[in-house]
CSV table of all heavy atoms in Angstrom, one decimal:
chain,number,residue,atom,x,y,z
K,1,LYS,N,0.8,-1.2,0.0
K,1,LYS,CA,0.0,0.0,0.0
K,1,LYS,C,0.9,1.3,0.0
K,1,LYS,O,2.0,1.3,0.5
K,1,LYS,CB,-0.9,0.0,1.2
K,1,LYS,CG,-1.9,-1.1,1.3
K,1,LYS,CD,-2.7,-0.9,2.6
K,1,LYS,CE,-3.8,-2.0,2.7
K,1,LYS,NZ,-4.6,-1.8,4.0
K,2,ASP,N,0.3,2.3,-0.6
K,2,ASP,CA,0.9,3.6,-0.5
K,2,ASP,C,0.5,4.3,0.8
K,2,ASP,O,-0.2,3.7,1.7
K,2,ASP,CB,0.6,4.5,-1.7
K,2,ASP,CG,-0.9,4.8,-1.8
K,2,ASP,OD1,-1.6,4.5,-0.9
K,2,ASP,OD2,-1.3,5.3,-2.9
K,3,LYS,N,1.0,5.5,1.0
K,3,LYS,CA,0.7,6.2,2.3
K,3,LYS,C,-0.8,6.5,2.5
K,3,LYS,O,-1.3,6.7,3.6
K,3,LYS,CB,1.5,7.5,2.4
K,3,LYS,CG,3.0,7.3,2.5
K,3,LYS,CD,3.8,8.6,2.6
K,3,LYS,CE,5.3,8.4,2.7
K,3,LYS,NZ,6.0,9.6,2.8
K,4,ALA,N,-1.5,6.5,1.4
K,4,ALA,CA,-3.0,6.8,1.5
K,4,ALA,C,-3.8,5.5,1.8
K,4,ALA,O,-5.0,5.5,1.9
K,4,ALA,CB,-3.5,7.4,0.2
K,5,GLY,N,-3.1,4.4,1.9
K,5,GLY,CA,-3.7,3.1,2.2
K,5,GLY,C,-4.3,2.4,1.0
K,5,GLY,O,-5.1,1.5,1.1
K,6,LEU,N,-3.9,2.9,-0.2
K,6,LEU,CA,-4.4,2.2,-1.4
K,6,LEU,C,-3.5,1.1,-1.9
K,6,LEU,O,-2.3,1.3,-1.8
K,6,LEU,CB,-4.6,3.3,-2.5
K,6,LEU,CG,-5.5,4.4,-2.2
K,6,LEU,CD1,-5.5,5.4,-3.4
K,6,LEU,CD2,-7.0,4.0,-2.0
K,7,VAL,N,-4.1,0.0,-2.3
K,7,VAL,CA,-3.2,-1.1,-2.8
K,7,VAL,C,-2.6,-0.8,-4.2
K,7,VAL,O,-3.3,-0.4,-5.1
K,7,VAL,CB,-4.1,-2.4,-2.9
K,7,VAL,CG1,-3.3,-3.5,-3.6
K,7,VAL,CG2,-4.6,-2.8,-1.6
K,8,LYS,N,-1.3,-0.8,-4.2
K,8,LYS,CA,-0.6,-0.5,-5.5
K,8,LYS,C,0.0,-1.7,-6.1
K,8,LYS,O,0.2,-1.7,-7.4
K,8,LYS,CB,0.5,0.6,-5.2
K,8,LYS,CG,0.0,1.9,-4.7
K,8,LYS,CD,-0.8,2.6,-5.8
K,8,LYS,CE,-1.3,4.0,-5.5
K,8,LYS,NZ,-2.1,4.6,-6.5
K,9,MET,N,0.4,-2.7,-5.3
K,9,MET,CA,1.0,-3.9,-5.9
K,9,MET,C,0.6,-5.1,-5.0
K,9,MET,O,0.1,-5.0,-3.9
K,9,MET,CB,2.6,-3.7,-5.9
K,9,MET,CG,3.1,-2.6,-6.7
K,9,MET,SD,4.9,-2.6,-6.9
K,9,MET,CE,5.0,-3.9,-8.2
K,10,VAL,N,0.9,-6.2,-5.6
K,10,VAL,CA,0.7,-7.5,-5.0
K,10,VAL,C,2.0,-8.3,-4.9
K,10,VAL,O,2.8,-8.2,-5.9
K,10,VAL,CB,-0.4,-8.4,-5.7
K,10,VAL,CG1,-0.6,-9.7,-4.9
K,10,VAL,CG2,-1.7,-7.6,-5.8
K,11,ALA,N,2.3,-9.0,-3.8
K,11,ALA,CA,3.5,-9.7,-3.7
K,11,ALA,C,3.3,-11.1,-3.3
K,11,ALA,O,2.4,-11.4,-2.4
K,11,ALA,CB,4.4,-9.0,-2.6
K,12,PHE,N,4.0,-12.1,-4.0
K,12,PHE,CA,4.0,-13.5,-3.6
K,12,PHE,C,5.4,-13.8,-3.1
K,12,PHE,O,6.4,-13.5,-3.8
K,12,PHE,CB,3.7,-14.4,-4.8
K,12,PHE,CG,2.3,-14.3,-5.3
K,12,PHE,CD1,1.7,-13.2,-5.8
K,12,PHE,CD2,1.5,-15.4,-5.3
K,12,PHE,CE1,0.4,-13.1,-6.2
K,12,PHE,CE2,0.2,-15.4,-5.7
K,12,PHE,CZ,-0.4,-14.2,-6.2
K,13,VAL,N,5.5,-14.3,-1.9
K,13,VAL,CA,6.9,-14.6,-1.3
K,13,VAL,C,6.9,-16.0,-0.8
K,13,VAL,O,6.0,-16.4,-0.1
K,13,VAL,CB,7.2,-13.6,-0.2
K,13,VAL,CG1,8.6,-13.9,0.4
K,13,VAL,CG2,7.0,-12.1,-0.6
K,14,SER,N,7.9,-16.7,-1.3
K,14,SER,CA,8.1,-18.1,-0.8
K,14,SER,C,8.4,-18.2,0.7
K,14,SER,O,9.2,-17.5,1.2
K,14,SER,CB,9.2,-18.8,-1.6
K,14,SER,OG,9.5,-20.0,-1.1
K,15,VAL,N,7.6,-19.1,1.3
K,15,VAL,CA,7.9,-19.3,2.8
K,15,VAL,C,9.2,-20.0,3.0
K,15,VAL,O,10.0,-19.6,3.9
K,15,VAL,CB,6.8,-20.2,3.4
K,15,VAL,CG1,7.1,-20.6,4.8
K,15,VAL,CG2,5.4,-19.4,3.3
K,16,GLU,N,9.6,-20.9,2.0
K,16,GLU,CA,10.9,-21.6,2.2
K,16,GLU,C,12.1,-20.7,2.0
K,16,GLU,O,13.1,-20.9,2.6
K,16,GLU,CB,10.9,-22.7,1.1
K,16,GLU,CG,9.8,-23.7,1.3
K,16,GLU,CD,9.8,-24.7,0.1
K,16,GLU,OE1,10.2,-24.3,-1.0
K,16,GLU,OE2,9.3,-25.9,0.4
K,17,ASP,N,12.0,-19.7,1.1
K,17,ASP,CA,13.1,-18.8,0.8
K,17,ASP,C,12.5,-17.4,0.4
K,17,ASP,O,12.0,-17.2,-0.7
K,17,ASP,CB,13.9,-19.4,-0.4
K,17,ASP,CG,15.2,-18.5,-0.7
K,17,ASP,OD1,15.3,-17.4,-0.1
K,17,ASP,OD2,15.9,-18.9,-1.6
K,18,TYR,N,12.6,-16.5,1.3
K,18,TYR,CA,12.0,-15.2,1.1
K,18,TYR,C,12.7,-14.3,0.0
K,18,TYR,O,12.2,-13.3,-0.3
K,18,TYR,CB,11.8,-14.4,2.4
K,18,TYR,CG,13.1,-14.0,3.1
K,18,TYR,CD1,13.8,-12.9,2.7
K,18,TYR,CD2,13.5,-14.7,4.2
K,18,TYR,CE1,15.0,-12.5,3.4
K,18,TYR,CE2,14.7,-14.3,4.9
K,18,TYR,CZ,15.4,-13.3,4.5
K,18,TYR,OH,16.6,-12.9,5.1
K,19,SER,N,13.8,-14.8,-0.5
K,19,SER,CA,14.4,-14.1,-1.6
K,19,SER,C,13.7,-14.5,-3.0
K,19,SER,O,13.9,-13.8,-4.0
K,19,SER,CB,15.9,-14.5,-1.7
K,19,SER,OG,16.1,-15.8,-2.1
K,20,ILE,N,12.9,-15.5,-2.9
K,20,ILE,CA,12.1,-15.9,-4.1
K,20,ILE,C,10.7,-15.2,-4.0
K,20,ILE,O,9.9,-15.5,-3.1
K,20,ILE,CB,11.9,-17.4,-4.2
K,20,ILE,CG1,13.3,-18.1,-4.3
K,20,ILE,CG2,11.1,-17.7,-5.4
K,20,ILE,CD1,13.1,-19.6,-4.2
K,21,LEU,N,10.5,-14.2,-4.8
K,21,LEU,CA,9.3,-13.5,-4.7
K,21,LEU,C,8.9,-12.9,-6.1
K,21,LEU,O,9.7,-12.8,-7.0
K,21,LEU,CB,9.3,-12.3,-3.8
K,21,LEU,CG,10.2,-11.1,-4.1
K,21,LEU,CD1,9.8,-9.9,-3.2
K,21,LEU,CD2,11.7,-11.3,-4.0
K,22,GLY,N,7.6,-12.7,-6.3
K,22,GLY,CA,7.0,-12.1,-7.5
K,22,GLY,C,6.2,-10.9,-7.1
K,22,GLY,O,5.3,-11.0,-6.3
K,23,LEU,N,6.4,-9.8,-7.8
K,23,LEU,CA,5.6,-8.6,-7.6
K,23,LEU,C,4.9,-8.2,-8.9
K,23,LEU,O,5.4,-8.5,-10.0
K,23,LEU,CB,6.4,-7.4,-7.1
K,23,LEU,CG,6.7,-7.3,-5.6
K,23,LEU,CD1,7.7,-8.4,-5.2
K,23,LEU,CD2,7.3,-5.9,-5.3
K,24,GLY,N,3.7,-7.6,-8.7
K,24,GLY,CA,3.0,-7.1,-9.9
K,24,GLY,C,1.9,-6.2,-9.5
K,24,GLY,O,1.5,-6.1,-8.3
K,25,GLU,N,1.4,-5.4,-10.5
K,25,GLU,CA,0.3,-4.5,-10.2
K,25,GLU,C,-1.0,-5.2,-10.0
K,25,GLU,O,-2.0,-4.7,-9.5
K,25,GLU,CB,0.2,-3.4,-11.3
K,25,GLU,CG,1.5,-2.5,-11.3
K,25,GLU,CD,1.3,-1.4,-12.3
K,25,GLU,OE1,0.3,-1.4,-13.1
K,25,GLU,OE2,2.2,-0.6,-12.4
K,26,THR,N,-1.1,-6.4,-10.5
K,26,THR,CA,-2.3,-7.3,-10.4
K,26,THR,C,-1.8,-8.6,-9.8
K,26,THR,O,-0.7,-9.0,-9.8
K,26,THR,CB,-3.0,-7.5,-11.7
K,26,THR,OG1,-2.2,-8.2,-12.6
K,26,THR,CG2,-3.4,-6.1,-12.3
K,27,LYS,N,-2.8,-9.4,-9.3
K,27,LYS,CA,-2.5,-10.7,-8.8
K,27,LYS,C,-2.0,-11.6,-9.9
K,27,LYS,O,-1.0,-12.4,-9.7
K,27,LYS,CB,-3.8,-11.3,-8.2
K,27,LYS,CG,-4.3,-10.7,-7.0
K,27,LYS,CD,-5.5,-11.4,-6.4
K,27,LYS,CE,-6.8,-11.0,-7.2
K,27,LYS,NZ,-8.0,-11.5,-6.5
K,28,GLU,N,-2.5,-11.4,-11.1
K,28,GLU,CA,-2.0,-12.2,-12.2
K,28,GLU,C,-0.6,-11.9,-12.6
K,28,GLU,O,0.2,-12.9,-12.8
K,28,GLU,CB,-2.9,-12.0,-13.5
K,28,GLU,CG,-4.4,-12.5,-13.3
K,28,GLU,CD,-5.2,-11.6,-12.5
K,28,GLU,OE1,-4.9,-10.5,-12.2
K,28,GLU,OE2,-6.3,-12.1,-12.0
K,29,ASP,N,-0.2,-10.7,-12.6
K,29,ASP,CA,1.2,-10.3,-12.9
K,29,ASP,C,2.1,-10.8,-11.8
K,29,ASP,O,3.2,-11.3,-12.1
K,29,ASP,CB,1.3,-8.8,-13.0
K,29,ASP,CG,0.6,-8.2,-14.2
K,29,ASP,OD1,0.4,-9.0,-15.2
K,29,ASP,OD2,0.4,-7.0,-14.2
K,30,ALA,N,1.7,-10.7,-10.6
K,30,ALA,CA,2.5,-11.1,-9.5
K,30,ALA,C,2.7,-12.6,-9.5
K,30,ALA,O,3.8,-13.2,-9.3
K,30,ALA,CB,1.9,-10.7,-8.1
K,31,LEU,N,1.7,-13.4,-9.8
K,31,LEU,CA,1.8,-14.8,-9.9
K,31,LEU,C,2.7,-15.3,-11.1
K,31,LEU,O,3.5,-16.2,-10.9
K,31,LEU,CB,0.4,-15.5,-10.1
K,31,LEU,CG,0.4,-17.0,-10.3
K,31,LEU,CD1,0.9,-17.7,-9.1
K,31,LEU,CD2,-1.1,-17.5,-10.6
K,32,ARG,N,2.6,-14.6,-12.2
K,32,ARG,CA,3.5,-14.9,-13.3
K,32,ARG,C,4.9,-14.7,-13.0
K,32,ARG,O,5.8,-15.5,-13.2
K,32,ARG,CB,3.1,-14.1,-14.5
K,32,ARG,CG,3.9,-14.4,-15.8
K,32,ARG,CD,3.4,-13.7,-17.0
K,32,ARG,NE,3.4,-12.3,-16.9
K,32,ARG,CZ,2.3,-11.5,-16.8
K,32,ARG,NH1,1.1,-12.1,-16.8
K,32,ARG,NH2,2.4,-10.2,-16.7
K,33,ASN,N,5.2,-13.5,-12.3
K,33,ASN,CA,6.6,-13.2,-11.9
K,33,ASN,C,7.1,-14.2,-10.8
K,33,ASN,O,8.3,-14.5,-10.8
K,33,ASN,CB,6.7,-11.8,-11.4
K,33,ASN,CG,6.4,-10.8,-12.5
K,33,ASN,OD1,6.7,-11.1,-13.7
K,33,ASN,ND2,5.9,-9.6,-12.2
K,34,TYR,N,6.2,-14.6,-10.0
K,34,TYR,CA,6.5,-15.6,-8.9
K,34,TYR,C,6.9,-16.9,-9.5
K,34,TYR,O,7.8,-17.6,-9.1
K,34,TYR,CB,5.4,-15.7,-7.9
K,34,TYR,CG,5.6,-16.7,-6.8
K,34,TYR,CD1,6.7,-16.5,-5.9
K,34,TYR,CD2,4.8,-17.7,-6.6
K,34,TYR,CE1,6.9,-17.4,-4.8
K,34,TYR,CE2,5.0,-18.6,-5.5
K,34,TYR,CZ,6.0,-18.4,-4.7
K,34,TYR,OH,6.2,-19.3,-3.6
K,35,ARG,N,6.1,-17.3,-10.5
K,35,ARG,CA,6.3,-18.6,-11.2
K,35,ARG,C,7.7,-18.5,-11.9
K,35,ARG,O,8.4,-19.5,-11.9
K,35,ARG,CB,5.2,-18.8,-12.3
K,35,ARG,CG,5.2,-20.2,-12.9
K,35,ARG,CD,4.2,-20.3,-14.0
K,35,ARG,NE,2.9,-20.0,-13.5
K,35,ARG,CZ,2.1,-20.9,-13.0
K,35,ARG,NH1,2.5,-22.1,-12.9
K,35,ARG,NH2,0.9,-20.6,-12.6
K,36,ASP,N,8.0,-17.4,-12.5
K,36,ASP,CA,9.3,-17.2,-13.2
K,36,ASP,C,10.4,-17.3,-12.1
K,36,ASP,O,11.5,-17.9,-12.4
K,36,ASP,CB,9.4,-15.9,-13.9
K,36,ASP,CG,8.5,-15.9,-15.1
K,36,ASP,OD1,8.0,-17.0,-15.6
K,36,ASP,OD2,8.2,-14.8,-15.6
K,37,ALA,N,10.2,-16.7,-11.0
K,37,ALA,CA,11.2,-16.7,-9.9
K,37,ALA,C,11.5,-18.2,-9.4
K,37,ALA,O,12.6,-18.6,-9.2
K,37,ALA,CB,10.8,-15.8,-8.8
K,38,LEU,N,10.4,-18.9,-9.3
K,38,LEU,CA,10.5,-20.3,-8.9
K,38,LEU,C,11.3,-21.1,-10.0
K,38,LEU,O,12.2,-21.9,-9.7
K,38,LEU,CB,9.2,-21.0,-8.6
K,38,LEU,CG,8.4,-20.5,-7.3
K,38,LEU,CD1,7.0,-21.1,-7.3
K,38,LEU,CD2,9.2,-21.0,-6.1
K,39,SER,N,10.9,-20.9,-11.2
K,39,SER,CA,11.5,-21.6,-12.3
K,39,SER,C,13.0,-21.3,-12.4
K,39,SER,O,13.8,-22.2,-12.8
K,39,SER,CB,10.8,-21.3,-13.6
K,39,SER,OG,9.4,-21.7,-13.6
K,40,SER,N,13.4,-20.1,-12.2
K,40,SER,CA,14.8,-19.7,-12.3
K,40,SER,C,15.7,-20.4,-11.3
K,40,SER,O,16.9,-20.4,-11.5
K,40,SER,CB,14.9,-18.2,-12.2
K,40,SER,OG,14.6,-17.8,-10.8
K,41,LYS,N,15.1,-21.0,-10.3
K,41,LYS,CA,15.9,-21.7,-9.3
K,41,LYS,C,16.3,-23.1,-9.8
K,41,LYS,O,17.0,-23.8,-9.1
K,41,LYS,CB,15.2,-21.8,-8.0
K,41,LYS,CG,15.1,-20.5,-7.3
K,41,LYS,CD,16.4,-20.0,-6.8
K,41,LYS,CE,16.3,-18.7,-6.1
K,41,LYS,NZ,17.6,-18.2,-5.5
K,42,GLY,N,15.9,-23.5,-11.0
K,42,GLY,CA,16.2,-24.8,-11.5
K,42,GLY,C,15.7,-25.9,-10.7
K,42,GLY,O,14.6,-26.0,-10.3
K,43,ASN,N,16.6,-26.9,-10.4
K,43,ASN,CA,16.2,-28.1,-9.7
K,43,ASN,C,16.0,-27.9,-8.2
K,43,ASN,O,15.6,-28.8,-7.5
K,43,ASN,CB,17.1,-29.3,-10.0
K,43,ASN,CG,17.1,-29.7,-11.4
K,43,ASN,OD1,16.1,-29.6,-12.1
K,43,ASN,ND2,18.3,-30.1,-12.0
K,44,SER,N,16.5,-26.8,-7.7
K,44,SER,CA,16.4,-26.6,-6.2
K,44,SER,C,15.0,-26.5,-5.7
K,44,SER,O,14.7,-26.8,-4.6
K,44,SER,CB,17.2,-25.3,-5.8
K,44,SER,OG,16.6,-24.2,-6.4
K,45,ILE,N,14.1,-26.0,-6.6
K,45,ILE,CA,12.7,-25.9,-6.3
K,45,ILE,C,11.9,-26.5,-7.4
K,45,ILE,O,11.9,-26.0,-8.5
K,45,ILE,CB,12.3,-24.4,-6.0
K,45,ILE,CG1,13.0,-23.9,-4.8
K,45,ILE,CG2,10.8,-24.4,-5.8
K,45,ILE,CD1,12.6,-22.5,-4.4
K,46,LYS,N,11.2,-27.5,-7.1
K,46,LYS,CA,10.4,-28.2,-8.1
K,46,LYS,C,8.9,-27.7,-8.0
K,46,LYS,O,8.3,-27.8,-7.0
K,46,LYS,CB,10.4,-29.7,-7.9
K,46,LYS,CG,9.6,-30.5,-9.0
K,46,LYS,CD,9.6,-32.0,-8.7
K,46,LYS,CE,8.8,-32.7,-9.7
K,46,LYS,NZ,8.8,-34.2,-9.4
K,47,ILE,N,8.4,-27.2,-9.1
K,47,ILE,CA,7.0,-26.7,-9.1
K,47,ILE,C,6.1,-27.9,-9.3
K,47,ILE,O,6.1,-28.6,-10.3
K,47,ILE,CB,6.8,-25.7,-10.3
K,47,ILE,CG1,7.7,-24.5,-10.1
K,47,ILE,CG2,5.3,-25.3,-10.4
K,47,ILE,CD1,7.6,-23.5,-11.2
């Protein structure tokens, strides 16, 4: 949220590793970026 309390972005953060996260202006964008972040970890995280 911004200072006015309005939702500006959505964040998905892995419980296992909080450095793996996806942000986006919509839930769909955030999920896509989160999926990419998980995929970029290769075999260390299996989707």
Side-chain angles (χ1 to χ4, degrees):
K1 296 181 179 180
D2 62 12
K3 292 182 179 179
L6 301 177
V7 174
K8 293 299 183 181
M9 300 188 78
V10 182
F12 290 64
V13 182
S14 170
V15 173
E16 297 172 334
D17 182 357
Y18 62 81
S19 67
I20 302 174
L21 73 163
L23 274 72
E25 294 184 358
T26 65
K27 290 182 285 188
E28 292 76 15
D29 289 342
L31 177 60
R32 183 171 61 251
N33 293 331
Y34 181 59
R35 190 187 302 274
D36 290 344
L38 286 171
S39 300
S40 68
K41 289 293 180 176
N43 295 325
S44 61
I45 295 181
K46 180 181 178 182
I47 301 178

